[in-house]
Amino acid sequence: MALSSRPKTLRSLRPRAGTPAARPRPARAGRATTADPITTEIILGAFETICYEMATHVSLTATTPILNQSNERNATILDGTGQLAALSVGIPQFMLSSTLFFGDGGLFEGDVLVANDPYHGGGHLPDYNIFAPVFHDRACVLIASIQCHHADTGGGAPGGYNVNAPDIWAEGVRFPAVKIYEKGVKRRDVEYMMAVNNRTPTFLGDLRAQVGAAQLGVARLKEVLARFSPSTVEAAVRGIIAYAKRRFREEVARWPDGVYESDAYVDHDPHGKKDIHVHCKVTVKGSDLTVDFTGSDDRPDIQAYSTFGNTRGYVVAQLASMMDPKIPKNEGFFDSIDLIVPRGCCLNPPEGKSVAAGTHHPGTEVGEAVAKALERVVPERSCPQVYKMGMPTVIFGTNPRDGKMFIDHSVDTFAAYCGAVKGQDGWGGMNVSFGNLIRATAEINESIFPIRQLWRDYDTDTGGAGEYRGNCGSLYRKQVLTPATIYTYVVGKRYPMPGIAGGRPGSPNRLIARAGGAHAFEVGDKAGYIEHAAGEWYEYHYGGGGGWGDPLARPAEKVLEDVLDEYVSVEGARRGYGVVLTGSLEDLTLAVDHAATERLRAELRAGRGA
């Protein structure tokens, strides 16, 4: 069961079928079976429902908060050749399982495979993929797949984010494609090997939940095959993929031809090397779309690498947000993109480089660069679907309740970076990049981990000003009740969330470590593992989202509403929007001074030559 070498472009991503050794897969060429549009739509709906059911199964049965509360999972269905046919509404950058594929032969009825290797399709080691083939008449017809982020991967540091790892082998254990079930029988040796290479006490429960979800998917897909016949289902999949490809190209054909370039930057890598550069060139020619990252950072000594699969996921997620949402997200969508990512740059690293932090940065800067390049093409749809956090503030230590290690990924605190788009202010607690990821509740996590949530609120004057305002950033204070270590890698200080079409950027990030004690300090340009004494907390000022459009075009009455809602201060209204207010916020007598506002806005326009 050989894995292919990593490709450079989306057009070369042609997964080969995993087929049962007993019978070669019949050639598809010349098959005349077709499915009518209504049947095709019914089958697509069934697939999407099955994906949702698989993903929900994990949330209901997993044992770790990052999965059973925050929903960091995604389910997909592939055809027998490994092409993506359907997916659930999960984490967008998990849309990459079709880059992880198998050579001819070696799969059997009842097999379940596990894979997490970043260099064979994954993003980073904590993202485990489970694959379960669906057979009919001894031929592999479909593959059920579920992707989940796990709390640990072994390696040199707990939590899956070993920012000091010199290479991928120091990060944790790699599984390129290993059978955990073979012909329906559990490989106890494989499961045991995985368990003893993971620190999390609940790891096996999470893994079994994921395997169970894939097996549930197999059962449901067999019901679909029994109802519609394999030939009809295969024809429907071909039709779904062809439809997505046609609709994608129709959308691109409406865009103006041209070459559009942009640059995005990461403040620094975990070791402090500054200004990790992502360069993007998008070429629109008729219905053809090329996304080229030639010119991106290729310094050999950086510690910031996004794998090809991760880079691809962010490209697809960003483009999907800028197109008709009715276009199915499947292989036809992906295959319509000419993606050029030079080997050796920060977005397609040399084999063996550490990628623990890179799945976040420069991964998210991929989407930012695409959005900024296409800002001149479809400004009304341009909003970077990304975040600027660095990496999660993972907390680990010994839980005094049971004496075991705990690993808290702080999924109960993270929320920020919601940018505005034309017609809509930024809103909500999560940017679109996170899909259906939700914040775990403080109350549940406080019952599991020795931590306390002291503060959770929006931060005034943090959303980027614009005709449509970026959402506010968030202020969090999280206290440890026992001695613990906290990962700190913070970016978005020099390069916060950008504004679009004249909008202003959101506020920068700030992280105060060891707050509440005599040794509080603001985290700088290097990642660290900061020991916190019991009773100390970290204080994270998450940055705001970027604005959209000219701030001076925002109606003054809307700015007044923002001030009343405490999204913007009185001084912020004047400074960012040129709106002059009279009266008092405390006694709710604020009002717009229209004459003074007109004069101030005229002065501001004159000052910038507009």
Side-chain angles (χ1 to χ4, degrees):
M1 187 165 54
L3 285 156
S4 80
S5 60
R6 182 182 50 194
K8 287 188 177 181
T9 72
L10 282 176
R11 288 195 183 279
S12 64
L13 292 177
R14 296 296 190 186
R16 292 175 291 170
T19 57
R23 175 184 163 187
R25 181 76 181 143
R28 293 176 180 270
R31 289 189 176 189
T33 303
T34 60
D36 64 83
I38 294 176
T39 301
T40 296
E41 188 68 24
I42 292 172
I43 290 172
L44 175 60
F47 281 5
E48 291 175 343
T49 300
I50 292 167
C51 286
Y52 178 81
E53 189 175 3
M54 284 194 286
T56 302
H57 179 91
V58 169
S59 296
L60 294 175
T61 58
T63 50
T64 303
I66 199 169
L67 291 178
N68 64 20
Q69 292 185 61
S70 295
N71 298 337
E72 191 161 349
R73 76 288 188 271
N74 196 69
T76 56
I77 294 171
L78 316 179
D79 74 359
T81 69
Q83 294 190 101
L84 182 63
L87 72 162
S88 64
V89 182
I91 306 301
Q93 62 262 37
F94 279 178
M95 296 188 296
L96 48 83
S97 56
S98 58
T99 66
L100 193 158
F101 49 91
F102 318 102
D104 295 332
L107 292 184
F108 299 89
E109 179 84 33
D111 284 355
V112 179
L113 298 99
V114 60
N116 74 332
D117 189 353
Y119 286 96
H120 290 92
H124 60 171
L125 288 177
D127 296 338
Y128 282 72
N129 294 262
I130 295 290
F131 298 91
V134 182
F135 280 77
H136 178 84
D137 192 22
R138 298 171 61 201
C140 179
V141 181
L142 299 167
I143 301 172
S145 176
I146 178 85
Q147 303 84 41
C148 296
H149 182 110
H150 285 254
D152 188 61
T153 60
Y161 292 98
N162 184 2
V163 297
N164 292 323
D167 52 39
I168 185 67
W169 295 278
E171 285 186 29
V173 185
R174 298 167 68 184
F175 301 101
V178 179
K179 288 186 181 181
I180 194 168
Y181 274 75
E182 188 165 23
K183 299 180 182 179
V185 179
K186 181 190 290 187
R187 290 284 308 274
R188 297 185 182 277
D189 54 344
V190 172
E191 186 184 73
Y192 181 71
M193 174 189 68
M194 296 179 71
V196 298
N197 279 285
N198 197 291
R199 298 177 179 87
T200 311
T202 53
F203 170 71
L204 273 186
D206 294 336
L207 182 66
R208 289 167 179 169
Q210 196 173 354
V211 169
Q215 292 172 326
L216 174 64
V218 170
R220 294 288 187 263
L221 289 171
K222 285 185 174 181
E223 294 172 3
V224 174
L225 292 172
R227 178 175 178 181
F228 292 100
S229 85
S231 59
T232 301
V233 170
E234 289 180 315
V237 169
R238 293 196 299 272
I240 292 165
I241 291 174
Y243 172 76
K245 190 168 188 174
R246 175 173 61 82
R247 287 288 293 107
F248 182 101
R249 298 182 73 85
E250 288 174 349
E251 190 97 357
V252 173
R254 298 189 186 100
W255 296 354
D257 284 0
V259 177
Y260 308 94
E261 299 191 52
S262 68
D263 295 284
Y265 292 88
V266 185
D267 294 19
H268 52 87
D269 72 4
H271 292 171
K273 295 182 178 66
K274 297 188 186 322
D275 299 330
I276 310 301
H277 178 211
V278 172
H279 179 74
C280 180
K281 181 172 72 173
V282 178
T283 302
V284 180
K285 186 176 181 181
S287 62
D288 294 334
L289 184 71
T290 301
V291 181
D292 185 353
F293 290 101
T294 301
S296 296
D297 210 316
D298 59 1
R299 286 177 283 176
D301 58 344
I302 59 174
Q303 185 84 342
Y305 288 103
S306 169
T307 64
F308 181 86
N310 193 64
T311 297
R312 172 190 185 237
Y314 276 109
V315 169
V316 171
Q318 183 62 52
L319 287 173
S321 75
M322 304 177 77
M323 292 187 169
D324 186 342
K326 295 178 182 178
I327 302 175
K329 312 309 181 291
N330 61 36
E331 207 72 29
F333 190 108
F334 301 170
D335 195 47
S336 299
I337 308 165
D338 283 321
L339 179 58
I340 301 171
V341 188
R343 180 73 62 85
C345 78
C346 62
L347 305 180
N348 190 2
E351 185 78 22
K353 290 287 188 178
S354 173
V355 297
T359 188
H360 298 291
H361 305 283
T364 61
E365 280 68 30
V366 167
E368 177 185 351
V370 171
K372 290 166 70 174
L374 291 177
E375 174 185 3
R376 287 156 285 170
V377 181
V378 280
E380 70 280 6
R381 293 181 177 178
S382 184
C383 177
Q385 307 297 340
V386 299
Y387 52 90
K388 289 283 190 176
M389 69 181 176
M391 70 178 187
T393 44
V394 179
I395 306 170
F396 62 90
T398 300
N399 196 328
R401 298 169 189 167
D402 56 15
K404 296 180 180 179
M405 170 173 279
F406 74 91
I407 302 175
D408 175 8
H409 281 72
S410 292
V411 291
D412 54 348
T413 58
F414 176 69
Y417 314 115
C418 300
V421 71
K422 185 177 182 180
Q424 177 65 58
D425 295 338
W427 64 279
M430 285 288 185
N431 61 83
V432 178
S433 175
F434 280 113
N436 73 344
L437 186 73
I438 61 175
R439 289 178 294 172
T441 62
E443 293 79 7
I444 293 178
N445 271 20
E446 287 177 353
S447 71
I448 298 171
F449 303 122
I451 55 93
R452 285 289 180 271
Q453 280 272 2
L454 303 180
W455 191 282
R456 176 191 286 191
D457 201 1
Y458 283 138
D459 236 352
T460 304
D461 281 339
T462 53
E467 181 179 358
Y468 300 97
R469 173 186 45 76
N471 196 34
C472 294
S474 306
L475 169 60
Y476 284 88
R477 296 190 180 110
K478 188 170 182 178
Q479 183 182 45
V480 296
L481 305 181
T482 191
T485 301
I486 301 178
Y487 288 177
T488 61
Y489 174 39
V490 185
V491 301
K493 294 184 289 184
R494 288 197 305 281
Y495 303 106
M497 282 292 288
I500 295 294
R504 302 298 300 162
S507 64
N509 287 324
R510 292 181 62 227
L511 174 59
I512 311 300
R514 305 195 68 180
H519 305 290
F521 67 96
E522 183 170 350
V523 173
D525 289 346
K526 290 187 178 181
Y529 301 92
I530 310 301
E531 294 182 0
H532 283 60
E536 293 181 332
W537 62 83
Y538 72 76
E539 179 175 299
Y540 209 133
H541 296 259
Y542 288 108
W548 192 98
D550 184 358
L552 301 184
R554 187 169 179 81
E557 296 300 330
K558 282 189 171 291
V559 178
L560 172 59
E561 292 177 10
D562 291 339
V563 175
L564 292 173
D565 288 333
E566 299 184 38
Y567 298 149
V568 178
S569 68
V570 172
E571 176 53 33
R574 184 184 187 97
R575 181 180 61 249
Y577 296 91
V579 173
V580 180
L581 301 175
T582 60
S584 167
L585 175 63
E586 286 70 25
D587 58 16
L588 301 180
T589 59
L590 284 177
V592 176
D593 185 330
H594 290 283
T597 294
E598 289 179 11
R599 288 194 300 271
L600 178 56
R601 285 185 162 181
E603 292 172 7
L604 293 173
R605 290 190 182 99
R608 67 189 186 191

